[in-house]
Amino acid sequence: MPQVLIKLYTTLRLRLKKPQLWTEAKTAQEAVQRLVEAGGPEVAKVLYDEDGRVRNEFILALDSDILDRSALDKVRLKEGNVLHIFPP
């Protein structure tokens, strides 16, 4: 399984008390789920809407490409990818 880096900014950085998180994930959706598992219910509350999807206010980018939040499960990750989660 690919090792990827999730870069955190402002809100999520404060909640997790770190600027980044290394994790293993096959898809962008899996990587986001690993972040939520690491951060707990408070991170889930900030990041997910009532339907369990990443809130519209957040922008996700894989390396330098902006991702479609509705298709995160289709984005395959490669070793060393960097997933940026930009807050509102």
Side-chain angles (χ1 to χ4, degrees):
M1 193 171 311
Q3 186 80 259
V4 297
L5 177 63
I6 302 173
K7 298 283 264 182
L8 307 169
Y9 303 91
T10 61
T11 307
L12 294 174
R13 180 181 283 196
L14 291 171
R15 298 238 190 254
L16 276 97
K17 297 180 173 69
K18 57 177 118 182
Q20 61 190 27
L21 174 75
W22 281 98
T23 191
E24 291 183 345
K26 293 179 186 174
T27 67
Q29 181 64 45
E30 225 177 274
V32 171
Q33 184 58 40
R34 298 282 187 279
L35 172 67
V36 169
E37 289 167 3
E42 282 300 310
V43 169
K45 186 177 174 183
V46 168
L47 192 58
Y48 288 148
D49 65 16
E50 57 278 347
D51 296 323
R53 292 180 294 220
V54 175
R55 292 181 184 276
N56 288 337
E57 299 86 32
F58 285 90
I59 296 172
L60 283 76
L62 185 60
D63 298 324
S64 61
D65 297 325
I66 302 294
L67 300 179
D68 176 359
R69 285 181 312 283
S70 66
L72 294 177
D73 59 331
K74 293 176 178 58
V75 178
R76 306 295 294 171
L77 300 177
K78 298 177 191 163
E79 187 75 24
N81 276 145
V82 178
L83 177 64
H84 299 268
I85 303 179
F86 298 105

